[in-house]
Amino acid sequence: MLLLIESIVMCFVLLIVCVIGIANGPVGLVVLYEEDVQERVIELGYITREKLKKNFIITCIALFVPILFFPPRMVYGINGATGFWDGFWQMTIILWGAGLFDRFFIDWYWVGKTKAWFIPGTEDLLPYIPRKVVIRKWFGTMIGYPLIAALIAGIMTLI
């Protein structure tokens, strides 16, 4: 039950990053779109290349710092995990929960089925998340997150 709550916390963190990122319109998180969409948005004058680079750095920090900070605190600090395997499987469950939320709610529903992430002038570039990217994201969720969990658990056992 605790792992479910901790997964929901990570989902909430991801949701907050996205909500803040698109608060003034989806161009705020155009760094998450494919390069052709980013180039079009620059051509349309919605954002400059410099602002895009700045947003990229901010977005990376906002997305990856919580992934590296919260799960080990939850697993080792709250849940009392000891050792590599105990921490690894618990962090994997938490990260998979957030990853599934990202794949289903954010990518499939919010980006794919609503107008919240739509940028005028990019109609011909829909869908924003093409099939090859969907596959890459699923691979990252199912394989990448356990690798991150293993890395963090390994570090935590050395501390």
Side-chain angles (χ1 to χ4, degrees):
M1 182 64 166
L2 194 52
L3 288 174
L4 176 64
I5 293 168
E6 291 162 344
S7 290
I8 292 169
V9 167
M10 291 304 295
C11 295
F12 185 72
V13 168
L14 177 59
L15 181 64
I16 291 299
V17 169
C18 290
V19 167
I20 291 170
I22 68 166
N24 294 319
V27 173
L29 282 181
V30 76
V31 299
L32 300 177
Y33 293 64
E34 291 301 290
E35 192 173 327
D36 57 346
V37 178
Q38 293 176 20
E39 289 301 321
R40 177 74 57 80
V41 169
I42 291 168
E43 288 172 17
L44 292 169
Y46 294 150
I47 195 168
T48 64
R49 197 168 302 283
E50 294 73 31
K51 179 70 173 166
L52 186 71
K53 288 177 185 177
K54 180 182 173 188
N55 285 3
F56 175 78
I57 293 167
I58 292 168
T59 302
C60 285
I61 291 168
L63 290 174
F64 292 109
V65 167
I67 287 174
L68 299 174
F69 180 79
F70 288 122
R73 299 314 182 273
M74 291 181 217
V75 168
Y76 289 97
I78 297 171
N79 302 0
T82 56
F84 176 84
W85 289 108
D86 201 20
F88 166 74
W89 75 263
Q90 289 185 50
M91 282 189 284
T92 297
I93 297 298
I94 292 168
L95 292 174
W96 272 346
L100 292 174
F101 175 78
D102 192 7
R103 298 295 72 79
F104 286 115
F105 177 75
I106 294 178
D107 289 350
W108 179 78
Y109 176 70
W110 199 15
V111 175
K113 305 284 185 211
T114 73
K115 299 292 183 192
W117 293 76
F118 177 74
I119 301 172
T122 63
E123 296 84 359
D124 59 316
L125 302 174
L126 291 170
Y128 290 132
I129 307 173
R131 186 163 198 67
K132 67 176 181 152
V133 176
V134 170
I135 292 167
R136 192 171 65 227
K137 286 182 165 209
W138 273 100
F139 183 81
T141 297
M142 301 314 291
I143 305 299
Y145 280 162
L147 291 175
I148 291 170
L151 178 67
I152 295 170
I155 291 168
M156 293 302 290
T157 56
L158 295 174
I159 294 177

